[in-house]
Structures are given as structure tokens and as C-alpha cells.
Amino acid sequence: MKTVSITTKIAGVKLDACIFNTSGPADATLGELEIIARSQSPAITMKSCTLAPREGNPEPRYADLEYGSINSMGLPNLGYKAYIKFAARLKRKYKKPTVASICGMTLAENVTMFKAFNNSAVDIIEFNPGSPNTIGKPIVGYDAGEMDRLLDAVSKVSKKPYGVKLPPYFDLVHFDQIAAVIKKYPVKFVTCINSIGNGLVINPYTEQPLIKPKGGLGGISGKYIKYTTLANVRRFYELFEDKIQVIGVGGVYSGIDAFELILCGASAVQVGTAFLQNGPGIFERIQNELKDFMAVKGYKKIADFRGKLKTL
Ligand code: DHB
């Protein structure tokens, strides 16, 4: 059992394990980030940031569901300058790689933040070009032309290795279009998938939605979305021919969930709703379950099975 290794490398940065926290849940304040730092998460991913601090959408804006969650947080964050400071502090104290998530409201905001993070302790940037929950703003990942314009601009200024967090795609032609845009730029990885945008959960007894913003519409996460995650990871893994890495996120609650994403091609797996619902012990649990399952299968490292989904 001791011989099983689940280390990985993302964008050239070594991670002691391939399971870490995703941007979004419980990662907006220094206190929350220190909880992640002290957990078995091998990296510390921070909340998507904007130029100015934001309060986010009116509450209630998050609800646990039987098999996952719905949220329309609206990007509550302390502004990018806070995360530059937090990254330096966390790096000094915990010596773990940090991942910044940049989610500017405009092209100019994104460029400003990418430039600022060049001179930071952050190891990796995850560009999140479109929150599904910003009122009045479309999800950029569904607009290939806009993605092209943004990636062109940030690629020109970024000195840190960066990847792109993508919304879920459902039509095969959209995978091709987005992959073609991403291949034009020095993108090191894609993170698939963001929540499935604009679901609606209602309470039939009160006859109300569960969350307040956008008439109740919000991003669906957790077990409901795992099969969409698997498909997105698989399709991008095939389209990028392993030249651009894929990080899988969406519906991972167990080591076997993580195994499935890696089998489809993921080089690492992030955990979101399951972390919120189970606390920071989830990283160690999923890592141990993954190692146990690999041992049963006779795999010693993730390269032994990564991407090797068999055909029927
Ligand atoms: C928020 C939600 C997202 O799915 C995302 O990618 C960024 C921000 C939010 O509502 O805060």
C-alpha cells in the first residue's frame, strides 16, 4: 500500500497529491484559506477575485441539496490585492503551492490583475472568465469569440503559468470550438467543470425558490453533475491530446469518483461541494480512498491509468 503514489504536476508545479480544493467554497478569507492550508489539500486555491472587493448577491444565495448544492454567490471576494497578500503569507507559513483565481468583470480588469499577480507568491493562475452568477453578465465560456479576445489579452501579459476554468459544454461542436481557441494560446490546463449554470430549485411547501438572486436561478454542483464532468474531462483530454492538461472538478465525493475522472484523463481533481458539506478532512479521505482503490487495481501511480478509459 505504501508504494502507491498519487503525486502529480500541474503547469510544471509539483503537487504532493492529486486531490485539492476548487476555487469557490470557503476560500475567500485568510481564516478560511488557513483551514485549507492545514488540511491535506496539497495546494491552496483561492476564491475568484475581482479588481474591487464585492459583497456578492443578496442572501440566501447558497443551499445544500440532497445530492449537491445550488449557489448564486455573485463573487463575494476581498479584491485581488488581498489575495496577493494572502498568497505571500500562506506560502511563507505553509510552503504549499497557491492557486489564484482571476475573474475580472472586463478585459481591462483581467489584464490589470494578471499583471499584478506576476509579482506575487502565487504559483499558478486559474483564469475564470465567467461566473454564472454575476447578474447581467453572460457566461463568457459560451462565447468563443469573447474567449479568444480575453485569452489573447491575458496571454500577452501573464508571466505565471495559467489555465482556464470552463463552464460545462453539452454540444460536441462547442468542445471543438473552445478547444480550437484555447490551443492558440499558452494555456497550461483547463479546469472542467464550473457549476451547471442556472438551475432552479424550489420548495413546494413554501412555493418559493431556495435562493434569492436571479429569481432563484443558480449554479448546480455536486453529485448531480458528475457525469457532465466526466464527459467534459474526457472530451478535452482527447481534443488536447494531453498537450494541455485537464483538471477535473464536479461531483467528486469519493476516491472512486476521483479515479473515474483520472481514468478519463484528468491530471488532478478538485473538490468543491463535498468540501463544504464534509469539512477539510475530505481531502485526506478522498486521497486515501483513491490510494486504496489503486492498490486493489495494482496501480502504483496515476500515470498507470490516467486517460486509459477502455472502449466497449
Ligand atoms: C461564483 C460562482 C462561480 O461558479 C464562479 O465560477 C465564480 C463565482 C459566485 O457566484 O461567486
Side-chain angles (χ1 to χ4, degrees):
M1 201 83 93
K2 265 181 233 123
T3 56
V4 174
S5 162
I6 57 164
T7 62
T8 193
K9 248 187 186 180
I10 292 295
V13 177
K14 193 167 176 298
L15 302 183
D16 290 341
C18 59
I19 314 287
F20 64 110
N21 76 300
T22 201
S23 180
D27 59 354
T29 66
L30 186 60
E32 289 174 327
L33 291 164
E34 294 213 63
I35 289 170
I36 296 162
R38 286 194 290 266
S39 78
Q40 286 297 308
S41 180
I44 308 162
T45 312
M46 303 189 287
K47 173 74 182 168
S48 289
C49 63
T50 49
L51 208 62
R54 285 170 60 91
E55 292 284 336
N57 293 338
E59 296 185 1
R61 57 193 186 182
Y62 172 90
D64 284 313
L65 307 175
E66 190 177 0
Y67 297 111
S69 64
I70 181 168
N71 90 85
S72 181
M73 304 299 289
L75 270 169
N77 78 96
L78 303 170
Y80 76 105
K81 287 182 182 162
Y83 299 101
I84 289 177
K85 281 190 198 133
F86 294 169
R89 217 173 138 151
L90 292 165
K91 197 70 189 285
R92 237 185 354 258
K93 199 162 160 194
Y94 298 98
K95 321 267 186 251
K96 280 186 183 179
T98 55
V99 183
S101 173
I102 295 184
C103 188
M105 293 286 140
T106 63
L107 183 146
E109 276 196 22
N110 284 310
V111 167
T112 301
M113 288 191 277
F114 264 88
K115 281 185 181 161
F117 275 105
N118 282 340
N119 305 308
S120 75
V122 158
D123 296 273
I124 298 171
I125 310 258
E126 193 178 75
F127 183 34
N128 183 6
S131 155
N133 304 326
T134 317
I135 293 164
K137 294 213 105 211
I139 298 173
V140 175
Y142 291 133
D143 183 338
E146 187 62 11
M147 279 281 275
D148 202 345
R149 202 172 74 93
L150 284 171
L151 292 183
D152 183 55
V154 302
S155 295
K156 285 184 175 131
V157 297
S158 187
K159 297 199 173 84
K160 298 275 183 188
Y162 84 91
V164 187
K165 185 141 179 193
L166 296 173
Y169 300 97
F170 305 97
D171 193 333
L172 294 187
V173 75
H174 294 152
F175 289 99
D176 298 342
Q177 287 165 358
I178 287 299
V181 169
I182 288 172
K183 279 184 189 170
K184 290 169 65 181
Y185 301 102
V187 174
K188 298 281 191 244
F189 63 91
V190 293
T191 304
C192 307
I193 54 175
N194 209 320
S195 58
I196 297 186
N198 296 318
L200 176 62
V201 185
I202 61 177
N203 179 335
Y205 300 98
T206 63
E207 304 182 3
Q208 289 172 310
L210 261 53
I211 60 170
K212 187 176 173 77
K214 294 172 71 176
L217 270 54
I220 304 294
S221 300
K223 295 188 188 202
Y224 305 104
I225 78 170
K226 188 179 88 172
Y227 305 104
T228 303
T229 305
L230 284 165
N232 277 251
V233 166
R234 187 66 185 162
R235 199 65 205 113
F236 281 114
Y237 173 76
E238 289 170 343
L239 285 168
F240 292 140
E241 298 168 325
D242 219 12
K243 290 179 190 121
I244 296 174
Q245 294 184 291
V246 181
I247 300 177
V249 59
V252 174
Y253 282 70
S254 72
I256 291 183
D257 292 332
F259 179 89
E260 291 180 3
L261 265 60
I262 297 166
L263 190 65
C264 286
S267 292
V269 170
Q270 297 176 342
V271 183
T273 300
F275 163 45
L276 261 191
Q277 295 177 337
N278 296 279
I282 191 82
F283 301 109
E284 188 174 10
R285 176 167 73 67
I286 294 176
Q287 288 167 17
N288 287 337
E289 288 172 358
L290 174 60
K291 283 187 206 165
D292 288 349
F293 193 63
M294 285 169 61
V296 168
K297 289 261 179 181
Y299 295 136
K300 293 193 159 54
K301 53 188 187 307
I302 70 169
D304 292 346
F305 64 98
R306 191 177 64 82
K308 296 183 181 167
L309 179 67
K310 293 176 185 165
T311 52
L312 268 186

